[in-house]
Amino acid sequence: MLLNHIALMILAVIGFWGEERSAQFVEGQFLYSNWDSPWVTLDSCIDRNVEHLVIPEGINHNGRYYPIAEIGHDALRSMYSLTDVTIGKGCSFMKGAFKDCPRLSVIKINDTVPPVIGQHPFYGGELTDVFEPYHLEGTIIVVPPGAEEIYRNAPGWCEFKYIQSTWPTPEEYHLDALDVRINTIEQELELAKSTVERLQQELDALRQFREVKANN
């Protein structure tokens, strides 16, 4: 399995540095790209308002099977209704994949090998370029039984506060991170209102000054 992950990473580098996208197509809920390689990138979800997503390990298209090697750049960004996502084996995450997903409470990964986060020749980045800081504090990572410690010691995944092998019960959902995010947004809105008011006053003053100068 580890060799498969390494092979996919090598193919990713070769594909993006040496090839152009050869096909883009829709299968099921998702838009995919193929870069003249034996795997595909998940580009985006067609329905941006779904609550639950299952990303398979691979897809069949035109009589050919393609492993899904990557959740692409900004693929699930701003899916405000998304609460949980289940992900198959061998899939890495590009920059922006889960940004602006405030309701994302559970990520289930059906792989004992922790997916690679943010390592890509073009669309890589830090952990918080892929996830929001509040995901690290409140999103529950569900992994195969026996893989908990592997994830807790893996780069990136070790930053998540909650890693377990069972789907969370209603009592296990952690609302503290959501409350923090709600308070942050409320503060940002108040700041934005103050900024708009200040800019409007400045604009009015400049227009008045221009009118006075024009009439002199």
Side-chain angles (χ1 to χ4, degrees):
M1 182 59 68
L2 180 59
L3 291 177
N4 289 341
H5 281 260
I6 295 173
L8 287 173
M9 291 174 62
I10 294 172
L11 285 170
V13 174
I14 294 173
F16 274 91
W17 283 104
E19 304 289 347
E20 296 182 356
R21 180 165 56 199
S22 59
Q24 192 172 40
F25 51 83
V26 173
E27 285 289 343
Q29 292 180 283
F30 304 107
L31 175 68
Y32 298 97
S33 283
N34 176 255
W35 299 84
D36 194 25
S37 61
W39 49 269
V40 293
T41 297
L42 191 154
D43 288 335
S44 66
C45 182
I46 303 304
D47 183 355
R48 309 295 294 179
N49 297 311
V50 298
E51 295 183 6
H52 316 287
L53 278 181
V54 176
I55 299 173
E57 187 172 335
I59 57 167
N60 289 294
H61 179 72
N62 288 342
R64 183 176 175 182
Y65 178 78
Y66 295 92
I68 299 171
E70 303 163 331
I71 298 177
H73 177 229
D74 288 345
L76 306 180
R77 179 187 281 271
S78 301
M79 292 188 64
Y80 300 114
S81 299
L82 184 63
T83 61
D84 58 84
V85 57
T86 298
I87 301 168
K89 296 179 180 179
C91 190
S92 63
F93 304 156
M94 290 189 196
K95 183 177 181 180
F98 295 96
K99 297 293 285 185
D100 299 328
C101 294
R103 293 182 61 193
L104 183 59
S105 301
V106 180
I107 300 175
K108 181 180 180 183
I109 303 171
N110 296 322
D111 199 343
T112 56
V113 178
V116 176
I117 301 176
Q119 295 182 20
H120 190 272
F122 295 114
Y123 300 117
E126 302 297 327
L127 181 65
T128 50
D129 292 321
V130 179
F131 296 98
E132 297 290 355
Y134 54 81
H135 290 148
L136 309 184
E137 293 296 321
T139 299
I140 299 169
I141 308 300
V142 178
V143 302
E148 300 96 316
E149 287 305 312
I150 298 174
Y151 276 77
R152 289 175 186 143
N153 292 296
W157 298 105
C158 62
E159 301 295 328
F160 283 87
K161 189 174 181 179
Y162 302 103
I163 298 174
Q164 59 193 59
S165 61
T166 57
W167 194 269
T169 64
E171 293 77 18
E172 288 180 310
Y173 283 91
H174 306 284
L175 301 180
D176 291 348
L178 292 179
D179 291 336
V180 170
R181 182 57 180 162
I182 288 170
N183 292 334
T184 300
I185 291 175
E186 289 174 344
Q187 294 172 9
E188 290 176 350
L189 281 174
E190 289 300 318
L191 179 61
K193 291 177 183 177
S194 299
T195 301
V196 169
E197 182 178 352
R198 176 182 60 78
L199 291 174
Q200 186 63 55
Q201 292 174 350
E202 183 179 353
L203 180 61
D204 292 341
L206 288 171
R207 284 173 171 169
Q208 184 178 8
F209 179 73
R210 183 180 62 181
E211 184 177 349
V212 170
K213 296 295 289 185
N215 292 330
N216 288 339

